[in-house]
């Protein structure tokens, strides 16, 4: 018999494979004892929530229902990206960005100029927007279009506004606008489709049939929105969020809060009020954020789903390392945070509460938690302790009942909660299930503000869902320490080029969306939470320890970076095992994610995607060798991934040089789903400079050098064992119902004798909500319900009964007790 006990696990940014225990015979029956007479901690009312930020086109092109891409023409300063000219045969016209005579100097500083130089009867010249990977068309649907326009003298109009197929052959809805004159004016009209087929291969067009010039600004097209909110959210995605039963929303992020620079942070005052007053800003994932989903929209999102806002305020640190020193320099940002809280919670007698009322929401919002910053462990200046203290003191002085969350360890003040983040492999997630058991009660309580098992792209696999569910059993058992948690990232637009992060909870394209297996696992657990955690013990002999192979070839890679490599050489003593300067090509290399090409004798990866790898298999017998090469960073956020001991894509070690936003370097081993960071150093990478890299390996011993300087010397540790079965239990206090959660990571069914102790009786009829599937399976746009929960009945339950949990499964049993 064993009880789950605490254990640490390491952050890993690699999606890898969880090895499941396969045996040829049926599993022995285990025992699960649920002690209803030994109640554990109360489960917090805000235990499950949502975390959101602008990544993977989560807002623009995702939840935010706006269909026009680059609506105020700021996505690119030189070209009107996502816009094109449409014209009939024989008609002549062109488009260009124009910054003369703008609508205003606050936000709408750029317009799109259409010049129609030749157009005949029944012809047209116009501007077309491609949307976010297509303009979705649904049958019998009313869209609302708005835009600002002005025209040159002599332009007679009218303008025809339409939603049509990309080839222009089919018009699904259209209308006209007349009277466009020399002064800017806002125009509005509704476009309604008929009985058409759903599709996304469409465009939005504004066209003219007469010569002259027309300027456009803030071009917008909205479909119906959730609860019919103006400037609102997509209905299908909001419905999926509602099904998660979330209790809070952490916003606006995440990295989106910080921005790449201080200037590119989330400036909340520029996200409120009319859209024509919102300039937008570059987000930290290499695209422009419209800020149409601004501070008030976040709060209304909470209102629509009956969630509590968990507001994160900017704390003086940005992603590229810029920080504001505590003291007078930080004070403007302290005031900015206080005013933001006042906008959210102040009544109409306060300055910013009055402004919120003017923006359309007189009633204050109720907030209990404020997070100060985001991931400030990346700030190597050590300034966060002072920055936190200064903001903490100011918030507590004005709002003494607000609970303040720190994003890393601080000593100057005791935060009310501390935010932890982790993105481990499946096996590492299982290793961390007991992470918070027996935590020192004198330490701050935990808000686990970002977590997700990394397996599956761009949405998690069933393997990830199993590990996620196991992790959640551990969080529930530690409910006296873990007050709140939320998965991240929440959203991903699954179109090629739309996403930056590999594993995300909910996927969508322009006209469809789906929940991942991890989404359904979390939905099962969140709607079956209970009020009080119950103690349990489990008797089973199942456990597994994977081998740690230390042999194989070499490779190179990048993460959010474009880099190139040359002069590859592998030696053992005086013997050259492999050498290439790519003068005969790279046919012996296997290319993975990314864009790999030979350029001037170097192997170059030119995209800014994550986890891009190219490998040379080498000889499996290579266990001791020296690997040398030259590397140069071209652009991007990080540096180099230098791969060695390459067995396959799931068994590998790499030296991450200039990783974590180019703040540090470390080794990472990835074996059979077990990922481990070790051997860290402060090495970073300069853009445009060639580096000499050397890695010496001898079994588990590794030495890494950069430009002749030894950076790290470390030993690869063997993989840690993990359990195969996980459980948690809780009680609904009002009814006495007992909820049993069980996770079977094995590829065979697991019979368990379930004993409900400390009750007089258990009704025979019970229900089981079950999620099961093959570990590598995922849901997709084409198969959105390949893995979804099913409900089955139990007719022989009681104080003691046997239930067989299916292979690769997440189960929730609900038992009525007396």
């Amino acid at each position: 018999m064993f009880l789950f006990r605490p254990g640490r696990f390491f952050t890993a940014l690699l999606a890898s494979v969880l090895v499941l225990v396969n045996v040829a015979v049926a599993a022995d029956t285990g025992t699960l004892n649920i002690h209803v007479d030994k109640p554990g901690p109360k489960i917090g009312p805000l235990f499950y929530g949502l975390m959101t930020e602008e990544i993977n086109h989560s807002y623009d092109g995702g939840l935010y229902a706006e269909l026009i891409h680059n609506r105020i023409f700021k996505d690119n300063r030189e070209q009107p990206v996502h816009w094109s000219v449409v014209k009939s045969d024989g008609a002549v016209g062109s488009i260009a960005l124009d910054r003369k005579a703008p609508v205003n100097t606050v936000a709408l500083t750029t317009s799109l100029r259409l010049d129609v130089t030749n157009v005949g009867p029944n012809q047209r010249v116009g501007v077309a927007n491609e949307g976010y990977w297509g303009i979705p068309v649904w049958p019998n649907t009313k869209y609302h279009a708005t835009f600002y326009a002005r025209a040159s003298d002599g332009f007679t109009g009218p303008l025809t506004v339409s939603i049509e197929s990309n080839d222009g052959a089919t018009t699904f809805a259209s209308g006209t606008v007349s009277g466009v004159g020399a002064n800017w004016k806002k125009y509005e009209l509704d476009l309604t489709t008929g009985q058409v087929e759903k599709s996304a291969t469409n465009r939005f067009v504004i066209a003219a049939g007469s010569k002259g010039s027309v300027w456009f600004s803030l071009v917008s097209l909205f479909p119906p929105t959730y609860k019919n909110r103006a400037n609102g959210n997509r209905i299908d995605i909001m419905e999926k969020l509602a099904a998660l039963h979330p209790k809070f929303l952490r916003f606006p992020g995440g990295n989106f809060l910080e921005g790449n620079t201080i200037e590119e942070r989330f400036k909340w005052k520029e996200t409120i009020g009319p859209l024509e007053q919102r300039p937008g800003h570059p987000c930290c994932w290499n695209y422009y954020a419209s800020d149409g989903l601004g501070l008030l929209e976040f709060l209304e999102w909470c209102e629509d789903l009956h969630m509590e806002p968990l507001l994160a305020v900017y704390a003086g640190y940005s992603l590229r390392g810029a920080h504001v020193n505590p003291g007078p320099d930080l004070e403007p940002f302290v005031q900015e945070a206080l005013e933001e809280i006042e906008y959210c919670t102040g009544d109409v007698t306060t300055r910013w509460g009055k402004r919120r009322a003017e923006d359309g929401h007189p009633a204050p919002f109720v907030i209990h938690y404020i997070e100060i910053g985001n991931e400030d462990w990346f700030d190597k200046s050590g300034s966060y302790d002072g920055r936190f203290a200064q903001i903490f003191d100011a918030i507590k002085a004005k709002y003494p009942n607000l609970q303040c969350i720190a994003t890393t360890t601080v000593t100057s003040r005791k935060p009310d909660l501390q935010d932890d983040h982790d993105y481990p492999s499946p096996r590492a997630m299982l290793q961390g299930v007991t992470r918070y058991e027996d935590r020192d009660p004198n330490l701050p309580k935990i808000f686990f503000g970002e977590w997700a098992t990394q397996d599956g792209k761009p949405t998690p696999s069933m393997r990830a869902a199993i590990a996620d569910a196991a992790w959640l059993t551990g969080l529930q058992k530690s409910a006296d320490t873990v007050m709140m948690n939320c998965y991240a990232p929440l959203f991903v637009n699954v179109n090629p080029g739309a996403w930056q992060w590999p594993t995300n909870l909910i996927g969508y394209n322009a006209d469809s969306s789906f929940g991942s297996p991890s989404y359904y696992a979390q939905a099962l657990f969140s709607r079956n939470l209970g009020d009080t955690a119950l103690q349990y013990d489990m008797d089973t002999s199942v456990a597994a320890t994977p081998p740690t192979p230390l042999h194989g070839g070499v490779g190179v890679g990048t993460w959010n970076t474009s880099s190139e490599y040359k002069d590859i050489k592998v030696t053992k003593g005086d013997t050259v095992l492999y050498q290439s300067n790519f003068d005969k090509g790279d046919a012996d290399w296997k290319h993975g994610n990314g864009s790999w090409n030979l350029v001037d004798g170097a192997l170059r990866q030119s995209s800014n995607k994550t986890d891009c790898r190219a490998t040379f298999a080498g000889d499996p017998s290579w266990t001791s060798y020296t690997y040398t090469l030259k590397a140069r960073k071209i652009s991007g956020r990080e540096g180099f991934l230098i791969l060695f001991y390459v067995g396959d894509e799931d068994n590998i070690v790499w030296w991450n040089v200039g990783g974590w936003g180019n703040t540090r370097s470390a080794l990472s081993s990835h074996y059979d789903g077990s990922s481990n960071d070790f051997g860290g150093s402060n090495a970073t990478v300069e853009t445009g400079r060639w580096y000499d890299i050397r890695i010496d390996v001898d079994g588990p011993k590794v030495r890494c050098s950069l430009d002749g300087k030894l950076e790290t010397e470390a030993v690869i540790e063997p993989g840690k064992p993990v359990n195969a079965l996980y459980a948690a239990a809780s009680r609904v206090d009002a009814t006495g119902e007992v909820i049993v959660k069980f996770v079977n990571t094995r590829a065979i069914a697991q019979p368990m004798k379930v004993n409900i102790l400390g009750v007089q009786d258990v009704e025979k009829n019970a229900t089981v909500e079950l999620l099961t599937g093959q570990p590598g399976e995922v849901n997709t746009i084409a198969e959105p319900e390949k893995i979804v929960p099913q409900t089955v009945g139990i007719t022989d339950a009681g104080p003691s009964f046997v239930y067989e949990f299916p292979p690769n499964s997440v189960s929730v049993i609900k038992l009525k007790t007396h």
Side-chain angles (χ1 to χ4, degrees):
M1 178 177 292
F2 65 86
L3 298 177
F4 294 100
R5 290 291 181 243
R8 282 282 175 179
F9 67 106
F10 296 87
T11 299
L13 296 175
L14 175 69
S16 52
V17 176
L18 170 63
V19 172
L20 299 175
V21 181
N22 287 280
V23 293
V25 297
D28 293 335
T29 300
T31 302
L32 176 63
N33 298 314
I34 308 297
H35 297 279
V36 182
D37 54 347
K38 296 180 180 179
K42 292 289 185 181
I43 302 171
L46 302 182
F47 193 75
Y48 284 107
L50 305 176
M51 184 273 173
T52 180
E53 65 177 304
E54 182 62 286
I55 183 175
N56 308 309
H57 286 272
S58 290
Y59 303 158
D60 296 329
L63 180 71
Y64 182 49
E66 172 67 81
L67 299 179
I68 301 301
H69 202 167
N70 191 19
R71 67 184 180 187
I72 62 172
F73 313 109
K74 289 188 175 182
D75 284 24
N76 185 298
R77 281 193 57 84
E78 306 301 325
Q79 301 292 332
V81 293
H82 310 299
W83 292 87
S84 60
V85 180
V86 294
K87 50 191 174 182
S88 304
D89 289 341
V92 179
S94 61
I95 61 172
L97 298 179
D98 193 338
R99 295 182 179 88
K100 300 175 183 178
V103 176
N104 61 46
T105 59
V106 175
L108 306 187
T109 57
T110 304
S111 62
L112 181 65
R113 174 173 173 159
L114 169 68
D115 293 316
V116 183
T117 53
N118 186 45
V119 62
N122 300 318
Q123 290 187 326
R124 67 173 184 167
V125 178
V127 297
N129 187 267
E130 65 189 17
Y132 291 93
W133 293 270
I135 297 288
V137 165
W138 296 282
N140 304 311
T141 300
K142 184 168 70 174
Y143 300 75
H144 188 63
T146 61
F147 56 90
Y148 284 84
R150 69 179 181 90
S152 61
D153 291 341
F155 178 78
T156 58
L159 296 174
T160 300
V161 183
S162 60
I163 302 171
E164 60 185 46
S165 58
N166 284 338
D167 60 6
T170 304
T171 299
F172 300 103
S174 65
T176 59
V177 168
S178 302
V180 180
N183 297 318
W184 284 110
K185 181 181 176 182
K186 185 177 181 179
Y187 298 89
E188 302 186 50
L189 72 162
D190 291 330
L191 306 173
T192 303
T193 62
Q195 191 61 38
V196 298
E197 294 291 328
K198 184 183 80 166
S199 64
T201 54
N202 311 303
R203 63 191 183 188
F204 175 77
V205 176
I206 307 176
S210 60
K211 291 192 291 185
S213 297
V214 186
W215 289 261
F216 301 99
S217 188
L218 187 52
V219 182
S220 176
L221 180 69
F222 269 86
T225 61
Y226 191 73
K227 295 195 174 181
N228 297 313
R229 282 197 183 272
N231 195 48
N233 295 331
R234 266 179 66 162
I235 295 172
D236 58 331
I237 297 178
M238 286 289 282
E239 289 175 341
K240 287 179 173 60
L241 296 179
L244 287 172
H245 297 266
K247 300 303 181 184
F248 67 87
L249 175 69
R250 175 183 172 228
F251 67 88
N255 298 147
F256 190 58
L257 171 71
E258 305 163 302
N260 283 320
T261 65
I262 295 172
E263 182 60 27
E264 292 178 0
R265 71 189 186 281
F266 182 76
K267 298 180 182 178
W268 70 269
K269 294 178 185 178
E270 295 183 2
T271 74
I272 60 175
L275 296 182
E276 56 266 26
Q277 299 297 314
R278 303 188 193 186
H281 71 286
C283 87
C284 48
W285 296 101
N286 300 315
Y287 60 91
Y288 202 83
S290 74
D291 289 331
L293 204 166
L295 179 57
L296 182 58
E297 285 78 20
F298 283 119
L299 295 165
E300 290 174 335
W301 176 5
C302 292
E303 189 172 66
D304 285 346
L305 295 187
H306 309 290
M307 302 181 292
E308 180 172 307
L310 193 162
L311 176 66
V313 297
Y314 182 72
Y317 173 75
S318 294
L319 277 170
R320 291 179 181 165
H323 73 277
V324 182
N325 289 320
D329 291 347
L330 187 64
E331 195 57 31
F333 301 95
V334 176
Q335 293 306 309
E336 185 178 279
L338 294 176
E339 290 169 344
E340 186 174 12
I341 296 170
E342 184 175 282
Y343 182 91
C344 298
T345 65
D347 61 36
V348 294
T349 65
T350 64
R351 176 189 174 189
W352 289 103
K354 179 181 178 183
R355 174 58 194 271
R356 184 198 62 246
E358 292 170 351
D359 290 339
H361 202 286
F365 293 89
V366 176
I367 294 180
H368 291 105
Y369 292 95
I370 301 293
E371 183 157 15
I372 299 174
N374 174 70
E375 294 186 338
D376 287 271
W377 60 77
F378 283 124
D379 179 13
K380 301 308 177 184
S381 73
S383 66
Y384 182 66
D385 209 326
R387 291 187 284 110
F388 177 84
Q390 188 172 344
I391 299 172
F392 177 93
D393 288 348
I395 291 174
K396 290 290 188 178
K398 188 172 182 180
Y399 302 101
N401 293 324
L402 285 180
Q403 304 290 291
C404 292
I405 303 171
T407 73
T408 190
T409 302
V410 292
T411 58
S412 59
R413 304 289 185 275
K414 183 178 180 180
D416 298 296
L417 286 88
Q418 182 173 314
D419 188 357
D420 277 357
H421 295 178
D422 229 324
Y423 293 100
S425 67
R427 182 170 292 277
M429 185 64 100
L430 297 181
Q431 290 168 350
V433 165
T434 56
R435 178 172 185 155
Y436 293 112
E437 290 187 17
D438 301 327
R439 178 179 167 88
D440 185 345
N442 294 315
L443 294 175
K445 301 296 185 183
I446 293 297
F447 164 47
F448 216 97
E450 294 184 28
W451 63 268
T453 301
Q454 299 298 285
D455 192 85
K457 300 177 183 179
T459 57
S461 64
M462 184 61 198
R463 182 183 296 111
I466 290 169
D468 287 344
W471 164 250
L472 288 171
T473 65
L475 292 191
Q476 179 178 306
K477 288 166 57 186
S478 299
D480 54 341
T481 295
V482 181
M483 300 293 100
M484 300 178 289
N485 81 92
C486 45
Y487 186 105
L490 185 58
F491 301 128
V492 61
N493 189 313
V494 299
N495 282 288
W499 52 280
Q500 298 81 42
W501 189 261
T503 307
N504 310 274
L505 198 64
I506 296 172
Y508 48 81
N509 62 9
D511 65 357
S512 300
S513 61
F514 64 93
S516 64
S518 288
Y519 164 87
Y520 287 112
Q522 188 164 154
L524 282 181
F525 278 22
S526 63
R527 69 168 179 259
N528 294 293
L529 183 57
D531 303 303
T532 302
L534 301 176
Q535 295 185 36
Y536 78 91
D537 54 75
M538 182 159 53
D539 184 4
T540 173
S541 59
V542 179
T545 304
T548 302
L550 298 174
H551 56 78
V554 296
V556 293
T558 63
W559 196 284
N560 287 327
T561 305
S562 174
S563 297
E564 58 185 352
Y565 305 92
K566 65 180 183 180
D567 298 345
I568 309 289
K569 191 174 184 179
V570 182
T571 61
K572 184 172 183 177
D574 296 331
T575 303
V576 177
L577 302 177
Y578 174 77
Q579 185 171 6
S580 177
N581 57 10
F582 300 113
D583 56 336
K584 296 181 180 180
D586 63 339
D588 52 349
W589 283 68
K590 178 182 177 181
H591 297 170
N593 192 31
S595 178
W596 293 94
N597 294 284
L598 292 179
V599 181
D600 298 329
L603 181 59
R604 177 180 294 180
Q605 197 294 111
S606 55
S607 80
N608 284 326
K609 293 182 178 180
T610 60
D611 194 12
C612 301
R613 291 182 250 165
T615 56
F616 174 73
D619 189 324
S621 67
W622 289 358
T623 59
S624 176
Y625 53 84
T626 296
Y627 175 25
T628 59
L629 71 159
K630 293 183 181 293
R632 180 168 69 174
K633 174 180 174 178
I634 299 170
S635 65
R637 300 178 58 199
E638 304 204 353
F640 317 123
L641 299 178
I642 312 301
L643 285 56
F644 58 98
Y645 283 154
V646 176
D648 54 41
E649 65 178 15
D650 302 310
N651 293 277
I652 201 165
V653 184
W654 66 38
W655 187 24
N656 188 350
V657 187
W660 295 271
N662 200 22
T663 61
R664 59 190 175 96
S665 300
L667 288 156
S668 297
S669 64
H670 310 277
Y671 288 122
D672 294 329
S674 178
S675 298
N676 180 15
D677 294 344
F678 63 102
S681 77
N682 293 323
T684 57
V685 171
E686 297 176 14
T687 300
R689 171 183 166 186
W690 282 105
Y691 289 86
D692 289 314
I693 294 175
R694 173 174 174 147
I695 300 177
D696 296 283
V697 296
D698 183 9
K701 299 177 182 179
V702 183
R703 290 168 54 91
C704 299
S705 300
L706 194 65
D707 283 345
K709 176 187 175 184
L710 180 64
E711 288 289 342
T712 188
E713 187 171 9
V715 175
I716 302 173
E717 295 182 359
K720 296 181 179 181
V722 297
N723 299 317
L725 308 174
Y726 300 84
S730 60
R731 180 187 65 207
V732 178
D733 291 343
T735 65
E737 183 180 50
V738 171
I739 302 171
V740 180
K741 300 179 175 75
F742 194 90
V743 181
N744 181 10
T745 74
R746 307 179 75 192
I748 58 172
Q750 176 63 55
M752 296 293 292
K753 183 178 181 181
V754 182
N755 297 315
I756 309 300
L757 306 176
V759 298
Q760 292 182 349
D761 195 15
V762 175
E763 292 187 13
K764 290 187 176 183
N765 293 319
T767 60
V768 182
E769 292 185 84
L770 170 68
L771 188 73
T772 186
Q774 292 302 308
E777 289 182 327
V778 296
N779 291 340
T780 62
I781 291 291
E783 295 183 284
E785 296 184 346
K786 188 172 186 178
I787 298 178
V788 296
Q790 46 192 298
T791 301
V792 297
I794 296 177
T795 58
D796 58 351
S800 182
F801 65 98
V802 175
Y803 182 78
E804 185 174 87
F805 293 94
N808 310 318
S809 66
V810 179
S811 303
V812 177
I813 302 178
K814 290 179 284 188
L815 301 164
K816 296 180 179 180
T817 67
H818 301 289

